[in-house]
Amino acid sequence: MAEFSTSVKDAGDVNIIYLKGYLDAHTAPTLENTFSNLIDRERYSIVVNFKDLAYISSAGLGVFMAFIEKVRENKGDIKLSAMSDKVFNIFDLLGFPLLYEIFKTEDEAITKFKEIKKLENQ
Amino acid sequence: MKTNNKKIKEKELVVKSRTNNLSFIRDFVYGAAAEVGIPADIIENIILAVDEACTNIIKHAYKSYPEGEITIRLKYSNKKFTILIVDHGAPFKPESVPDPDLQKYYRQHRIGGLGMYLMKSLMDEVKYVSIPGKYNQVLLTKNLTVTH
């Protein structure tokens, strides 16, 4: 059976979800739970790190669609980072770059959240 | 890449309609495609298309009923890799599935049709035949005429 796991790191106001393995219709509920747990804790500034994600199908892509509006309604965002070319191509094929900000590195995504916060506090 | 004129006979896999079989299906297709020398990046596209087809069968044709059967038949000849996937679930009308509209999904919090769009994008041909009360089949074709 395909292995998939997530881990979550708190980095100040931002949470980072690390994806590992194979994200398909069988493993997508694991990622749904991870998002639900963060939203239950009212953590809405979310960076997803794709570095160790080997595979994604549309069932995995659907998870991001399921949570994005709720997160943005709460002045947060889901920012994507560190995708392999292979995974990016699938997101790109389906037009996701129009709806999500995708960064080369996790740090760039975190910095973007901090910049927004700074502007809000001015 | 070396030219490879090896031919595989048809290879067949029959699995139950359960999502935990998706990785098994992908491994099966990957192994057979690698055996005939298809480049890895093309195999990746093929296995994603097969995964999407089987996921649709599990969710829509069998409506997550876990005892349905999915038959996957692979064939490589004349520089064409074909995958025939057969199920005995609810009849399927591919024309009823519109191309995905992400903006619409964003508003409706749901998503659908992405899998079929991916299949059409990644394969050279996607052909459905549905005989209500008997079977559905989808034939995926990848042409390998280009030298890699």
Side-chain angles (χ1 to χ4, degrees):
Chain A
M1 202 188 297
E3 299 279 330
F4 174 74
S5 63
T6 66
S7 56
V8 176
K9 189 171 93 179
D10 283 22
D13 293 331
V14 180
N15 281 86
I16 301 127
I17 303 177
Y18 295 90
L19 311 181
K20 189 174 181 186
Y22 296 77
L23 180 53
D24 63 9
H26 189 64
T27 58
T30 302
L31 181 57
E32 283 172 7
N33 286 339
T34 305
F35 273 112
S36 291
N37 288 339
L38 284 175
I39 287 165
D40 287 348
R41 289 169 49 208
E42 300 184 342
R43 304 288 299 186
Y44 301 114
S45 298
I46 302 167
V47 170
V48 184
N49 186 324
F50 283 76
K51 186 171 73 73
D52 294 321
L53 189 78
Y55 176 83
I56 190 163
S57 73
S58 69
L61 293 154
V63 178
F64 296 95
M65 291 299 286
F67 291 96
I68 188 68
E69 196 172 14
K70 171 91 177 159
V71 164
R72 286 183 183 162
E73 275 170 3
N74 287 281
K75 293 187 176 170
D77 197 17
I78 299 171
K79 297 189 192 299
L80 315 178
S81 71
M83 281 180 190
S84 66
D85 289 346
K86 187 179 102 181
V87 169
F88 175 78
N89 284 341
I90 305 305
F91 273 87
D92 193 36
L93 205 53
L94 293 171
F96 274 65
L98 287 173
L99 285 177
Y100 297 83
E101 279 193 292
I102 303 177
F103 295 87
K104 285 246 180 319
T105 65
E106 173 191 312
D107 282 347
E108 285 172 54
I110 295 170
T111 304
K112 187 69 187 280
F113 272 121
K114 287 183 177 160
E115 283 169 2
I116 294 166
K117 190 103 187 151
K118 223 166 155 182
L119 285 172
E120 282 172 357
N121 290 335
Q122 271 175 7
Chain B
M1 200 200 119
K2 63 180 169 121
T3 51
N4 198 326
N5 297 317
K6 254 195 288 181
K7 282 183 183 178
I8 47 168
K9 286 179 195 162
E10 284 197 7
K11 281 199 176 186
E12 190 179 283
L13 175 73
V14 181
V15 290
K16 296 277 189 198
S17 52
R18 300 172 189 176
T19 54
N20 64 352
N21 282 325
L22 289 169
S23 64
F24 188 55
I25 292 167
R26 292 195 300 267
D27 290 348
F28 167 71
V29 176
Y30 202 109
E35 222 171 77
V36 295
I38 297 173
D41 56 333
I42 294 178
I43 301 180
E44 299 282 353
N45 289 343
I46 294 171
I47 64 167
L48 179 53
V50 173
D51 177 323
E52 299 293 349
C54 293
T55 299
N56 280 344
I57 289 169
I58 294 166
K59 292 197 168 171
H60 304 299
Y62 288 120
K63 301 179 172 67
S64 300
Y65 166 69
E67 299 298 328
E69 242 174 34
I70 304 174
T71 303
I72 297 145
R73 204 170 294 145
L74 310 176
K75 200 175 158 187
Y76 180 67
S77 65
N78 300 324
K79 300 258 173 201
K80 262 185 190 194
F81 192 74
T82 58
I83 307 104
L84 180 71
I85 307 170
V86 181
D87 70 80
H88 297 88
F92 178 65
K93 292 195 188 94
E95 62 278 8
S96 68
V97 181
D99 278 348
D101 175 348
L102 281 188
Q103 298 291 347
K104 196 175 94 189
Y105 292 134
Y106 186 86
R107 293 191 299 271
Q108 296 178 344
H109 301 193
R110 62 169 293 280
I111 201 148
L114 288 187
M116 192 183 290
Y117 182 78
L118 276 179
M119 284 157 64
K120 287 185 202 159
S121 305
L122 298 171
M123 302 301 285
D124 292 306
E125 205 182 334
V126 179
K127 217 156 86 186
Y128 281 92
V129 176
S130 183
I131 311 288
K134 293 200 168 165
Y135 63 88
N136 301 303
Q137 67 173 45
V138 54
L139 181 68
L140 306 173
T141 305
K142 190 77 188 171
N143 298 319
L144 298 149
T145 44
V146 186
T147 312
H148 292 273

